[in-house]
Amino acid sequence: MAEVKASLICGVIAAFLSSAVLAFVEDLDDTFKDSRVNDIWLVDFYAPWCGYCKKLEPVWHDVGVELKTSGSPVRVGKMDATAYSGIASEFGVRGYPTIKLLKGDLAYNYKGPRTKDDIVEFANRVAGPAVRALPSRQMFEHMMKRHDVLFVYIGGDSPLKEKYSDAASELIVYTYFFSASEDVLPESVTLPELPAVVVFKDGGYFSYDEYEDGSLSSWVNKERFQGYLQIDGFTLYELGETGKLVAIAVIDEKDPTEESGRLKTLIQRVAKEYREHFNRDFQFGHMDGNDYINSLIMGEVTVPSVIILNTSNEQYFLPGEPIETMEQLVQFIKSVLNGSAQAYGGDGIIQRIKRVGFDARSTVMSVFRSSPLLGCFLFGLPLGVISLMCYGICTAETDDGSDDIDALKREGLTDEEEEEEEERQRTAALAGPEEEEEEEEEEEGEEEGDGNEEEEMDAGEKDPQEKKTD
Ligand SMILES: *[C@@H]1O[C@H](CO)[C@@H](O)[C@H](O)[C@H]1NC(C)=O
Ligand SMILES: *[C@@H]1O[C@H](CO)[C@@H](O)[C@H](O)[C@H]1NC(C)=O
């Protein structure tokens, strides 16, 4: 026992030494809670058995190399959240891997794509000041070129500036926040009132109105995307956090027809020309292919077509007739807004049961697709055993009721056949890459349950509690 302990301690010391001297990614243990306070940390909380964590490992190494060699103050670490579950749960870790940037009492969750560039960009953005000053017009113009959506506070010190700082330190996970004085702005920009918070995007600029737009953070949250976007599964998930309805032209970009071009243009025009009317409630864009939407609504949308999704309750709306004019599209959007359009789907109990069946079927499908033999074995064997048992029971049965059982059996069989046929059709319809997207989506779903930033920021305050239990 003592030997084991000694070798464990040696191992820990060795690991600690080597990580302190040369590692780009430091292995963290439970001393981290006390030792971290003076530094900014980017930490991967992982579980040894989790596949996504293994996939992240080489990326994480590259992130460590990049941040260290670029002279960033951010230290990169990883922690086995199963071995140090106490400290992990204190940081609000609920899924694996969880990526967090820890800065003083604040903890920021990373939810973006797990690529080196995205993660490094996130670390640099969040580690820096929440509000960055734009000292000159050149700087302002440079940033305008680099960012599709640019938030700027314009004016001197004011209560609005304080609110802006607060919103910035909460929402820096999503976007940059800048401040500037009026003379830095190009002449073409005229603001009726100063100080002001302005977003530059979609070739124009829009000011925050305290009375009409609600709280500054909810306004920023709604304005942080361009008015019109190319939408994929991940974007859709991100858009969900704005609470807006999403109007999408579903098109085939590899084989664009005239009609799909027209639909895309119509949505683009409505996004721009009806911004005043719809921007508060709608996000606009197009999506390539209908695979993702189909699995979302558990049905099939025609390509090209227009669909409106309510990501808050999983309802969706389809136009009564194909949309050909701007007028029709505007009427359709209005009818969704005033509640007269027919809503489909939703997150009710029936839809949830349908979802379970749908997901189970997709899982079976993906097993068969990647390895038909394994599929036959996994699902065929139990089926065979069950059939044999049924057969045994049926033949052992006395005459009474055997007719009923036969009838049941027949029904069961035909159901199965139908299902198999449907599955086959689905295999034909679904393309290969779909599989990965589904996995990704499931995972995002898991993370959705994660606490928001406010909750995370409490992480530091929980310390006294922990001390009590000590
Ligand atoms: C979208 O869903 C939310 C949450 O259930 C609901 O409050 C809102 O009215 C819905 N919007 C429309 C247009 O149905
Ligand atoms: C809702 O909007 C549609 C389209 O503009 C309109 O035809 C319909 O009369 C409106 N319904 C109600 C109840 O306001």
Side-chain angles (χ1 to χ4, degrees):
M1 195 63 194
E3 248 180 66
V4 175
K5 241 184 194 166
S7 69
L8 254 179
I9 290 169
C10 282
V12 168
I13 291 174
F16 179 77
L17 282 180
S18 66
S19 70
V21 177
L22 48 83
F24 294 109
V25 175
E26 299 174 47
D27 251 316
L28 305 174
D29 55 34
D30 43 13
T31 60
F32 174 64
K33 203 180 86 189
D34 302 318
S35 63
R36 77 178 183 93
V37 282
N38 296 321
D39 287 308
I40 302 172
W41 281 91
L42 184 67
V43 182
D44 163 25
F45 295 90
Y46 67 96
W49 41 259
C50 123
Y52 286 109
C53 304
K54 293 208 176 77
K55 228 156 107 188
L56 178 63
E57 219 164 272
V59 176
W60 203 245
H61 175 78
D62 292 348
V63 168
V65 172
E66 170 102 15
L67 285 175
K68 192 151 248 176
T69 51
S70 69
S72 159
V74 179
R75 294 173 72 178
V76 179
K78 63 182 163 91
M79 176 180 288
D80 181 345
T82 58
Y84 306 106
S85 54
I87 175 162
S89 72
E90 225 171 280
F91 283 116
V93 174
R94 259 162 255 143
Y96 311 109
T98 294
I99 298 174
K100 280 176 189 275
L101 187 130
L102 309 169
K103 181 184 176 188
D105 325 332
L106 304 180
Y108 296 95
N109 273 338
Y110 178 72
K111 295 180 184 170
R114 301 203 184 104
T115 65
K116 186 198 82 179
D117 289 346
D118 286 306
I119 297 172
V120 165
E121 198 269 346
F122 164 83
N124 286 331
R125 169 158 37 87
V126 178
V131 176
R132 293 160 157 87
L134 292 176
S136 65
R137 183 165 298 181
Q138 286 91 316
M139 198 65 182
F140 178 84
E141 275 160 8
H142 177 67
M143 285 305 164
M144 280 287 282
K145 278 197 205 101
R146 276 189 55 174
H147 300 277
D148 295 326
V149 177
L150 189 75
F151 288 98
V152 188
Y153 170 87
I154 297 150
D157 285 340
S158 71
L160 182 62
K161 186 165 192 181
E162 278 165 35
K163 281 186 198 159
Y164 185 70
S165 284
D166 291 345
S169 63
E170 179 193 342
L171 299 173
I172 187 87
V173 280
Y174 297 129
T175 183
Y176 285 94
F177 292 86
F178 296 97
S179 71
S181 62
E182 195 186 4
D183 50 328
V184 160
L185 299 178
E187 264 109 41
S188 58
V189 178
T190 52
L191 298 169
E193 217 184 330
L194 285 180
V197 176
V198 182
V199 59
F200 294 84
K201 67 176 195 181
D202 303 334
Y205 59 94
F206 311 96
S207 300
Y208 164 67
D209 183 325
E210 208 162 351
Y211 299 101
E212 285 190 11
D213 294 320
S215 82
L216 184 54
S217 15
S218 82
W219 178 77
V220 168
N221 198 28
K222 286 189 173 213
E223 291 291 348
R224 66 194 167 92
F225 295 96
Q226 287 172 280
Y228 183 91
L229 289 172
Q230 152 118 40
I231 296 174
D232 57 18
F234 182 70
T235 325
L236 201 54
Y237 160 74
E238 278 190 306
L239 287 173
E241 295 185 10
T242 67
K244 287 187 184 185
L245 299 162
V246 190
I248 302 174
V250 183
I251 58 174
D252 183 352
E253 287 198 298
K254 269 144 265 151
D255 182 21
T257 57
E258 205 177 307
E259 199 192 344
S260 70
R262 194 183 60 229
L263 279 185
K264 205 169 135 178
T265 313
L266 279 181
I267 298 236
Q268 259 162 343
R269 280 186 55 197
V270 168
K272 204 169 171 73
E273 293 168 28
Y274 285 78
R275 186 191 141 89
E276 291 244 334
H277 295 87
F278 298 143
N279 176 61
R280 225 177 284 270
D281 303 294
F282 285 90
Q283 176 67 49
F284 296 92
H286 72 265
M287 201 166 206
D288 183 20
N290 62 357
D291 288 347
Y292 190 86
I293 296 277
N294 284 349
S295 76
L296 204 68
I297 68 172
M298 300 183 276
E300 178 140 14
V301 291
T302 44
V303 180
S305 66
V306 172
I307 185 171
I308 293 181
L309 304 172
N310 187 346
T311 51
S312 332
N313 64 3
E314 290 168 35
Q315 281 185 336
Y316 63 95
F317 304 87
L318 298 168
E321 54 197 43
I323 283 173
E324 279 164 8
T325 64
M326 186 90 154
E327 180 62 18
Q328 282 174 316
L329 181 56
V330 169
Q331 287 308 322
F332 173 47
I333 294 171
K334 280 188 178 163
S335 72
V336 169
L337 256 189
N338 75 10
S340 64
Q342 165 78 46
Y344 302 93
D347 54 4
I349 183 78
I350 294 177
Q351 288 299 318
R352 280 188 218 178
I353 292 169
K354 200 171 159 194
R355 171 62 66 189
V356 170
F358 185 85
D359 287 349
R361 175 181 295 199
S362 315
T363 310
V364 174
M365 294 293 304
S366 67
V367 170
F368 271 101
R369 223 179 303 143
S370 55
S371 159
L373 264 178
L374 180 67
C376 287
F377 182 73
L378 275 183
F379 302 104
L381 194 65
L383 263 183
V385 171
I386 291 170
S387 318
L388 272 179
M389 277 165 60
C390 282
Y391 180 76
I393 292 167
C394 295
T395 50
E397 202 67 37
T398 52
D399 276 349
D400 340 337
S402 69
D403 280 349
D404 287 348
I405 290 171
D406 264 336
L408 276 179
K409 210 169 98 183
R410 237 176 282 128
E411 260 175 42
L413 273 177
T414 46
D415 270 353
E416 255 165 48
E417 271 163 23
E418 258 171 43
E419 230 168 80
E420 253 174 52
E421 182 53 37
E422 259 180 71
E423 275 173 8
R424 232 174 287 134
Q425 282 169 357
R426 267 166 195 284
T427 337
L430 296 177
E434 159 77 5
E435 190 185 320
E436 237 180 61
E437 238 173 48
E438 256 166 39
E439 273 174 24
E440 199 59 37
E441 186 207 347
E442 268 170 33
E443 200 202 358
E444 298 305 350
E446 257 175 51
E447 285 175 358
E448 216 167 352
D450 272 5
N452 54 23
E453 273 62 49
E454 277 162 38
E455 208 181 322
E456 301 306 328
M457 289 175 190
D458 293 342
E461 291 167 22
K462 282 184 193 153
D463 286 356
Q465 262 180 8
E466 162 77 7
K467 276 187 195 108
K468 246 188 276 165
T469 54
D470 285 349

